[in-house]
Amino acid sequence: MSMTLLSKIRCITLDVTGTLIAYKGELGDYYCMAAKSVGLPCPDYKRVHEGFKLAYKDMATKYPCFGYHTKIPNLVWWKTCVRDSFRKAGYDYDEETFEKIFRRIYSTFGSSAPYSLFPDSQPFLRWARKQGLVVGLVSNAEYRYQDVILPALGLNKGSEWDFGVFSGIEGVEKPDPKIYELALERAGSIAPEEALHIGDSFRKDYLPPKSIGMHALLLDRFKSAEAQQWRDAGAVVLPDLAASQEWLLSEK
């Protein structure tokens, strides 16, 4: 007798950025607007964006989980990262000017302003909870996602999701499978084979949950060039959460 996957699982965990929400515009746009707001000429978007990628990688390597283990305050972690982003792009501002720019950037990214919610996110989460599934979020993000950003976008604990595992709060981040073990524990000590993770990164959202025995599926919302490689490697790849809902209800 064939069964649906939905009848076999008790928990669904989801990645956040790229899966439930997306950045509006480019990161460089926000950094440039912040510089303009204090009367500076707009820095080169592309260079700032590249600078940010390098600076973020440096910080994440030296002080993972937003400084969790080294007890660096969130604000200080981001201040260093933002300053390095500008420096690597060739912009070095005096302390007072930088402070104004940084305050603007930090408050923008601590709000829902730079993000938009995919139209199928809220319906999918509510549907999953209505089926009696425990719904969790697993994200390499800091506490402001949980406390400010997600609720401001209409994703609330208790109506759209039941628990969150955020790397900046827990001190463990994807692709470390421990973050998924922690999620199963939070879900009420659910067995890995009774859980499904949905995300958009093969390295962070597919390989680690599969390695501990969970089900996993990947979303390819933006027609990524790598999606075919994911399929070739055996991953289920779907265009969005509406398709994921149908897939969960189809007989395997």
Side-chain angles (χ1 to χ4, degrees), residues 40 43 47 57 76 78 83 113 130 134 136 139 163 171 192 238 247:
L40 290 167
R47 268 169 48 200
K57 200 174 169 190
V76 175
W78 278 112
R83 183 182 275 123
K130 211 180 246 160
V134 181
S139 175
F163 70 92
L238 297 170
W247 180 77

Side-chain angles (χ1 to χ4, degrees), residues 156-181:
N156 295 287
K157 190 173 178 177
S159 58
E160 281 77 32
W161 50 283
D162 299 294
F163 70 92
V165 182
F166 296 92
S167 63
I169 301 172
E170 311 294 349
V172 58
E173 60 192 6
K174 303 187 247 181
D176 188 337
K178 281 198 191 79
I179 198 167
Y180 292 98
E181 287 167 359

Side-chain angles (χ1 to χ4, degrees), residues 185-203:
E185 210 175 285
R186 289 277 156 85
S189 297
I190 280 175
E193 62 275 13
E194 294 182 308
L196 163 73
H197 180 68
I198 302 176
D200 68 330
S201 161
F202 187 73
R203 191 175 73 86

